[in-house]
């Protein structure tokens, strides 16, 4: 059949994205154990906990933990999936909470109640013709194994993770084809506790620990890829990058090389997962920073032989790099870390820059580099929505953001990029990962809950709900 080069492919996976830790709640139900996110409070201490700078392994009385109830997806997934189906979703990205399957992380046999829960969730999706896209670990490592073994800096974590993978691949092999091994694997550099259960003591060489932990995750990811291919023939295993091209602030070569280095800090992970080896620039970085990664005897081979099938990534914005100390003073917020403010871009209410063209640029860079199918598994605008007197929510700003990004995706497809799907983040309002807020909303569906945890949890369709439904219905033609 002739391919139309200026249209979204016929089988394009339109959908939305969620993560267990931000939507499920039920944090102690069904035998679930505690995970890293269950210990990340809302408010001023959140960031320090996520960074591993406050050492707590139990919830504290005087803190509020938004993940504990979240939006109660644990009990309401049927109703919510029906709403996604009403929008015409072809796929839904969810994550499995590791500690529902292995409450402490090191049990030999999985928790049947946890397995049953996801059986039912996947069945519900499949019933509606929605393809599950599953993140194996989205910011939620079980606390049990962190307490006993110290997080991903310990190589034993590879075995715990693989045991978990084996359980879920075996159980869901007839239901789930698309998997991603670690959400935003590069975030381990910025949120080591949330990303990898790593905490630091004063005076420790943090960079050494972060990169050794990352190495263990990379080996685990490669071995999980191998395992999935063995257990589920035809499965598609992806990596997941917090993406967003770094632009040089100026054409000063100092800015250009800096932007390249900043990009490589992130791309390092995907270079290993997709190309199967540590690139030269990474070896140089490690050498010059006195970091020595302990490699297992077969590690090089494991990485080489088990590369990913597709590149999943989140894109919220481009970033900017400058070598000029004056320019560096003008920073703005971004996905987890700050960036130099680009004067050509508008910013969201949370200071995240808005750059649809940057999505086309990022798609092209990733495709040029890896030549593998790309999947945009997160994108969207976090905004404070207002309910009008008549009960409607007119989120035109969100529609505008998504429309421009979808246009950019189409341009990338015309450029020749093999883009297989798009799952905007937080398709129903969920807890914000960086701030723990509810009022930073991304959804097409509003959830009645505030930052302090008050609200009925009632669901309400926003204007963008109807708009996105038509986008999917027209396969991206009616924007
Ligand atoms: C990504 C994460 O970093 O961005 C999500 O994978 C997160 O978990 C999303 O929620 C948006 O960030 P935030 O901080 O606005 O929730």
């Amino acid at each position: 059949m002739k391919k139309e080069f200026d249209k979204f492919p016929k089988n394009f996976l339109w959908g939305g994205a969620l993560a267990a830790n931000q939507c499920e709640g039920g944090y102690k139900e069904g035998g679930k154990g505690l995970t890293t996110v269950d210990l990340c409070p809302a408010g001023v201490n959140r960031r320090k906990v996520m960074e591993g700078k406050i050492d707590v392994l139990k919830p504290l009385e005087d803190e509020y933990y938004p993940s504990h109830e979240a939006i109660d997806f644990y009990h309401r997934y049927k109703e919510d999936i029906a709403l996604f189906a009403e929008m015409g979703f072809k796929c839904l990205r969810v994550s499995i909470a590791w500690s529902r399957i292995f409450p402490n992380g090191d049990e030999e046999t999985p928790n049947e109640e946890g397995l049953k829960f996801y059986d039912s969730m996947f069945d519900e999706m499949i019933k509606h013709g929605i393809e599950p896209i599953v993140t194996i670990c989205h910011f939620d490592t079980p606390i049990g194994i962190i307490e006993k073994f110290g997080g991903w800096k310990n190589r034993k974590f590879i075995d715990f993770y693989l045991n978990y993978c084996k359980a879920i691949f075996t159980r869901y092999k007839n239901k789930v084809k698309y998997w991603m091994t670690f959400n935003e694997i590069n975030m381990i550099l910025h949120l080591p506790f949330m990303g990898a259960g790593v905490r630091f003591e004063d005076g420790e060489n943090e960079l050494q620990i972060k990169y050794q932990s990352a190495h263990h995750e990379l080996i685990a990811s490669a071995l999980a890829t191998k395992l999935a291919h063995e257990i589920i023939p035809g499965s598609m295993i992806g990596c997941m990058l917090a993406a967003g091209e770094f632009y040089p602030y100026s054409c000063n070569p100092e800015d250009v090389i800096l932007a390249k280095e900043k990009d490589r800090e992130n791309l390092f992970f995907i270079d290993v997962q997709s190309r199967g080896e540590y690139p030269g620039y990474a070896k140089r970085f490690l050498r010059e920073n006195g970091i020595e990664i302990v490699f297992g005897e077969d590690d090089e081979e494991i990485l080489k032989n088990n590369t990913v099938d597709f590149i999943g990534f989140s894109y919220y914005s481009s970033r900017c790099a400058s070598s000029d100390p004056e320019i560096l003073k003008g920073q703005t917020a971004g996905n987890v870390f700050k960036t130099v403010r680009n004067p050509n871009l508008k910013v969201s209410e949370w200071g995240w820059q808005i750059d649809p063209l940057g999505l086309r640029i990022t798609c092209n860079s990733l495709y040029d580099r890896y030549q593998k199918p790309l999947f945009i598994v997160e994108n969207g605008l976090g905004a404070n929505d207002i309910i009008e007197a008549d009960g409607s929510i007119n989120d035109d700003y969100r529609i505008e953001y998504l429309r421009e990004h979808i246009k950019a995706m189409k341009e990338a497809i015309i450029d020749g990029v093999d883009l297989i799907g798009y799952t905007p983040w937080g398709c129903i309002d969920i807890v914000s990962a960086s701030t723990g807020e509810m009022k930073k909303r991304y959804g097409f569906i509003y959830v009645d809950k505030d930052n302090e945890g008050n609200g009925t949890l009632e669901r309400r369709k926003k204007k963008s709900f109807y708009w996105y439904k038509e986008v999917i219905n027209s396969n991206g033609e009616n924007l």
Side-chain angles (χ1 to χ4, degrees):
M1 199 174 50
K2 203 166 147 265
K3 195 171 167 187
E4 290 183 275
F5 290 98
D6 58 350
K7 291 203 164 40
F8 284 94
K10 287 210 164 48
N11 52 356
F12 191 75
L13 289 166
W14 296 99
L18 298 170
N21 79 83
Q22 287 159 265
C23 70
E24 281 182 9
Y27 84 116
K28 279 186 182 163
E29 287 182 61
K32 179 180 169 294
L34 284 179
T35 72
T36 40
V37 163
D38 295 327
L39 300 176
C40 294
V44 286
N45 288 329
R46 186 174 182 83
R47 184 78 192 201
K48 286 191 205 133
V49 173
M50 295 194 299
E51 288 173 353
K53 298 285 167 62
I54 299 186
D55 194 10
V56 276
L57 290 183
K58 281 192 184 65
L60 304 174
E61 293 269 302
D62 48 357
E63 294 278 19
Y64 165 59
Y65 294 92
S67 76
H68 292 190
E69 182 191 52
I71 61 157
D72 195 32
F73 189 69
Y74 185 69
H75 295 111
R76 297 165 193 248
Y77 63 93
K78 290 191 179 166
E79 161 197 343
D80 292 340
I81 290 170
L83 287 167
F84 301 146
E86 195 183 324
M87 273 187 279
F89 276 23
K90 311 281 183 222
C91 71
L92 178 65
R93 176 184 173 217
V94 292
S95 70
I96 295 179
W98 183 348
S99 70
R100 284 202 192 283
I101 312 300
F102 290 96
N104 287 308
D106 61 350
E107 294 87 348
E108 275 175 22
T109 45
N111 170 29
E112 182 57 27
E113 211 176 334
L115 286 170
K116 274 199 183 128
F117 170 68
Y118 292 105
D119 259 326
S120 166
M121 186 191 290
F122 296 143
D123 287 345
E124 202 61 24
M125 292 184 206
I126 293 162
K127 181 178 103 186
H128 287 289
I130 296 176
E131 175 96 46
I133 314 288
V134 175
T135 318
I136 298 169
C137 184
H138 191 128
F139 296 156
D140 56 359
T141 307
I143 293 298
I145 41 175
I146 295 176
E147 206 164 3
K148 274 204 226 160
F149 302 100
W152 275 95
K153 62 184 167 195
N154 189 330
R155 196 174 167 106
K156 277 187 194 303
F157 265 61
I158 299 176
D159 294 334
F160 299 140
Y161 179 84
L162 289 175
N163 202 29
Y164 163 49
C165 287
K166 191 171 169 205
I168 56 178
F169 293 159
T170 310
R171 180 72 167 227
Y172 306 125
K173 65 180 178 199
N174 296 323
K175 299 181 183 179
V176 181
K177 176 179 171 194
Y178 291 89
W179 302 85
M180 281 176 287
T181 52
F182 290 94
N183 180 61
E184 297 192 335
I185 189 164
N186 47 323
M187 285 305 181
I188 193 173
L189 299 178
H190 307 279
L191 304 174
F193 180 69
M194 191 138 116
V198 171
R199 296 158 294 151
F200 302 104
E201 283 165 26
D202 283 347
E204 272 190 317
N205 182 343
E206 294 189 8
L207 222 44
Q208 167 73 39
I209 293 173
K210 284 179 188 172
Y211 276 96
Q212 185 66 55
S213 308
H215 179 73
H216 294 151
E217 287 195 348
L218 290 167
I219 297 295
S221 174
L223 288 172
T225 304
K226 179 170 188 279
L227 196 63
H229 288 154
E230 284 163 7
I231 299 177
I232 321 174
S235 56
M236 291 284 285
I237 315 302
C239 51
M240 188 338 194
L241 165 77
E245 185 102 349
F246 268 96
Y247 301 154
Y249 190 86
S250 74
C251 54
N252 177 347
E254 294 293 338
D255 285 1
V256 177
I257 189 73
L258 194 65
K260 187 173 272 305
E261 283 169 0
K262 292 258 178 210
D263 269 336
R264 283 173 159 180
E265 187 181 300
N266 296 316
L267 293 171
F268 154 69
F269 294 85
I270 310 308
D271 283 353
V272 177
Q273 288 174 298
S274 181
R275 305 203 289 209
E277 61 188 4
Y278 275 51
Y281 68 81
K283 290 182 186 160
R284 174 178 181 174
F285 173 84
L286 297 172
R287 224 173 26 239
E288 292 182 352
N289 284 281
I291 302 167
E292 278 181 43
I293 307 283
V294 181
F295 267 66
E297 212 179 305
D298 302 327
D299 284 5
E300 281 187 16
E301 213 175 315
I302 291 169
L303 295 175
K304 193 82 216 155
N305 294 336
N306 302 291
T307 54
V308 289
D309 302 312
F310 72 94
I311 313 292
F313 65 98
S314 61
Y315 176 87
Y316 292 91
S317 181
S318 57
R319 297 140 176 169
C320 207
S322 171
S323 55
D324 180 338
E326 272 312 301
I327 303 289
L328 278 178
K329 288 181 187 160
Q331 302 259 331
T332 188
N335 186 10
V336 177
F337 51 89
K338 287 189 176 162
T339 175
V340 171
R341 175 89 170 84
N342 180 338
N344 302 294
L345 302 176
K346 291 190 193 141
V347 295
S348 77
E349 289 169 86
W350 271 264
W352 295 23
Q353 307 190 94
I354 299 175
D355 182 13
L357 184 52
L359 178 56
R360 177 177 169 196
I361 295 167
T362 299
C363 284
N364 273 280
S365 298
L366 291 175
Y367 195 63
D368 286 352
R369 196 175 183 103
Y370 301 117
Q371 295 284 299
K372 289 187 182 177
L374 303 185
F375 200 149
I376 302 168
V377 295
E378 286 185 32
N379 172 240
L381 178 73
N384 185 16
D385 296 323
I386 308 290
I387 304 184
E388 307 291 344
D390 65 358
S392 63
I393 298 163
N394 299 310
D395 55 343
D396 292 298
Y397 35 89
R398 182 168 295 107
I399 294 174
E400 171 71 12
Y401 177 101
L402 295 171
R403 177 189 291 125
E404 294 309 310
H405 284 77
I406 294 172
K407 280 187 196 164
M409 281 156 46
K410 194 167 171 186
E411 290 300 320
I413 289 172
I414 299 172
D415 291 332
V417 170
D418 182 8
L419 189 61
I420 58 175
Y422 179 59
T423 55
W425 180 244
C427 43
I428 178 167
D429 294 345
I430 52 176
V431 177
S432 155
S434 58
T435 67
E437 292 167 293
M438 265 309 295
K439 78 168 188 193
K440 190 179 186 197
R441 299 171 182 278
Y442 288 85
F444 302 110
I445 300 160
Y446 185 91
V447 176
D448 178 30
K449 186 166 181 181
D450 67 16
N451 284 351
E452 288 73 42
N454 309 305
T456 61
L457 294 170
E458 184 211 337
R459 276 57 171 158
R460 188 183 288 256
K461 297 170 196 169
K462 304 181 193 175
K463 186 172 176 185
S464 57
F465 180 101
Y466 303 98
W467 172 81
Y468 192 47
K469 182 177 177 174
E470 179 50 26
V471 172
I472 298 177
N473 183 40
S474 64
N475 201 25
E477 288 302 304
N478 298 343
L479 294 173

